Amino acid sequence: MNHGLMDDSQSRQGSDMDPNASLFEPVDRFRRGLGVWFDLTGFGPEETPFRTAMSEPGLTLRSYSPTSGAGPVLLIVPAPIKRAYIWDLVPWASVVRRGLASGLSVYLAYWERPGRIESEFGLADYADRLIVDCVEAIGKEQGNGPVFLAGHSLGGTFATFFAALHPGSVRGLVLLGAPLHFGPDVGPIDRWAAMAPPAQISTAAGHPVAGSLLSGLSFLADPLTFGWLRISDGLRSLSDSRALRTHLAVERWACDEMPMAPALFGEIVEWLYREDRFMRGSLSIGGHRVAPELVESPLLSVVDPHCRVVPPQAVLPFHQAARSRDATVLRYGGDIGVSLQHVGMLVGREAHRTLWPEIMRWLHAHGK
């Protein structure tokens, strides 16, 4: 599947309209070309066949299951950075395939590259309206009723906000390395966000924030995680063919930069990373308050004690403040062959050997 050339004309258009975007367009174009090279040499993703259940500006809802009669419904909410196929990377490192094999009805909210319309989208869209549309589309196929939500990184943040806004729509919440508490004492990215210039400087032109800019900012915030540790993982994977294949697939995925809607970028940086509004109870989305104590559904959180991108202290304070009476914490210890340890809980061999079977048991136990 050729992800590298998708929306290239759109990127050129954005470059012509926005002088600031042109600075990063050559980098984005090079990385897309590098992604094509990965595909041609056999290191691209191997995605599970799917059908489109619903499509609208900013989102395509993928279904991997029959239109009715399947098991408990799992809606995956990815992060808005890079492409969502990290959840379905290769057959042995695919949460989608594992969910299907366990008898779940699996859907994936596949964020699309923001264009003119989506540039105005913020948390009210990504954490509320678009997920509502997914749940309604699923209801037409599977019958109305609450669904399980699973989210990794900022996708888990979105899923949590949705659960706070729509408690009756969520049967259970699975969060994997999802940041919900922010502050300079939490981790390198939070410390960088506290010292960086206001987000409005990057969003003033009103065009999507370039994917390569987001990657560059991540590297500046934590060069150890996004630099040396990736190289080290590749070197340690050389003696293990499957680990090396997974490592290269993640590296190919890392070339698939997703620009971010400027409104969303500004709200994430200012409202979350700088002001920690959610944990402080002062976050408002669409005129409705969003706070930890409004999350009532059964809750399973996965933390990685060694992760610098989303350390446990970014997750556990929320876990303790949520109103959920049924709350579980699982710890993931890392893997070789995942390039970025932050995504290891989605693609790592040890994660799929021990972590995901336990998550599947939890989903089925709460789906009865």
Side-chain angles (χ1 to χ4, degrees):
M1 191 172 191
N2 189 350
H3 301 278
L5 295 181
M6 292 175 67
D7 302 313
D8 187 51
S9 61
Q10 183 186 69
S11 297
R12 287 195 299 270
Q13 183 183 27
S15 175
D16 293 339
M17 293 187 295
D18 181 5
N20 294 320
S22 64
L23 178 64
F24 297 95
E25 174 58 22
V27 181
D28 281 354
R29 192 183 306 119
F30 170 78
R31 290 177 65 78
R32 288 195 296 271
L34 185 60
V36 173
W37 178 86
F38 272 103
D39 291 341
L40 293 175
T41 52
F43 298 123
E46 299 176 35
E47 298 180 68
T48 305
F50 64 90
R51 59 182 174 82
T52 299
M54 182 268 289
S55 182
E56 61 180 280
L59 170 74
T60 298
L61 178 63
R62 292 184 174 186
S63 172
Y64 302 87
S65 305
T67 55
S68 63
V73 177
L74 175 65
L75 172 60
I76 297 171
V77 183
I81 301 173
K82 300 186 173 66
R83 286 289 191 176
Y85 63 81
I86 190 65
W87 289 84
D88 187 30
L89 192 63
V90 288
W92 59 86
S94 168
V95 175
V96 167
R97 293 188 188 226
R98 184 163 292 279
L100 293 173
S102 77
L104 296 179
S105 181
V106 181
Y107 290 80
L108 173 65
Y110 201 92
W111 307 125
E112 301 293 355
R113 296 179 187 273
R116 291 180 182 271
I117 297 175
E118 298 88 344
S119 289
E120 300 298 322
F121 288 5
L123 287 173
D125 301 284
Y126 283 90
D128 188 2
R129 180 181 62 83
L130 292 172
I131 302 179
V132 166
D133 292 347
C134 288
V135 172
E136 290 180 349
I138 292 170
K140 292 177 181 178
E141 294 190 348
Q142 304 287 346
N144 292 324
V147 303
F148 288 102
L149 294 183
H152 172 256
S153 193
L154 285 172
T157 308
F158 294 169
T160 302
F161 294 171
F162 180 85
L165 290 165
H166 304 277
S169 297
V170 180
R171 176 171 287 187
L173 192 58
V174 177
L175 305 178
L176 301 113
L180 290 157
H181 170 48
F182 303 84
D185 59 330
V186 174
I189 293 180
D190 297 72
R191 287 193 291 273
W192 176 87
M195 297 183 294
Q200 289 82 354
I201 292 178
S202 299
T203 62
H207 298 298
V209 180
S212 57
L213 173 59
L214 295 172
S215 293
L217 293 176
S218 297
F219 180 84
L220 289 175
D222 189 0
L224 178 63
T225 295
F226 293 95
W228 165 246
L229 290 179
R230 287 173 67 177
I231 297 171
S232 174
D233 183 76
L235 293 174
R236 292 192 298 161
S237 301
L238 291 175
S239 60
D240 185 327
S241 60
R242 176 158 290 192
L244 181 60
R245 171 69 179 93
T246 306
H247 173 95
L248 292 172
V250 175
E251 287 295 320
R252 188 269 174 266
W253 166 81
C255 295
D256 232 344
E257 300 286 11
M258 271 281 286
M260 186 180 291
L264 179 65
F265 178 81
E267 291 172 2
I268 288 174
V269 172
E270 300 297 335
W271 294 0
L272 302 185
Y273 278 95
R274 288 184 187 274
E275 301 175 21
D276 198 21
R277 289 192 187 184
F278 176 63
M279 284 300 298
R280 294 177 183 272
S282 61
L283 178 64
S284 177
I285 295 179
H288 299 280
R289 180 171 174 266
V290 183
E293 64 268 21
L294 299 178
V295 177
E296 302 174 351
S297 63
L299 173 63
L300 187 154
S301 296
V302 181
V303 297
D304 179 353
H306 306 293
C307 182
R308 293 164 53 86
V309 178
V310 182
Q313 56 265 35
V315 181
L316 297 180
F318 155 74
H319 197 90
Q320 296 162 359
R323 188 177 294 175
S324 305
R325 295 183 178 179
D326 182 343
T328 302
V329 176
L330 299 180
R331 285 171 172 77
Y332 165 68
D335 269 292
I336 295 175
V338 298
S339 180
L340 290 165
Q341 285 298 325
H342 181 49
V343 301
M345 55 185 67
L346 299 183
V347 302
R349 179 184 297 171
E350 188 64 20
H352 280 271
R353 188 181 72 84
T354 61
L355 179 64
W356 280 102
E358 192 164 352
I359 294 174
M360 293 301 158
R361 285 191 293 270
W362 186 89
L363 288 167
H364 281 284
H366 290 80
K368 296 178 180 179

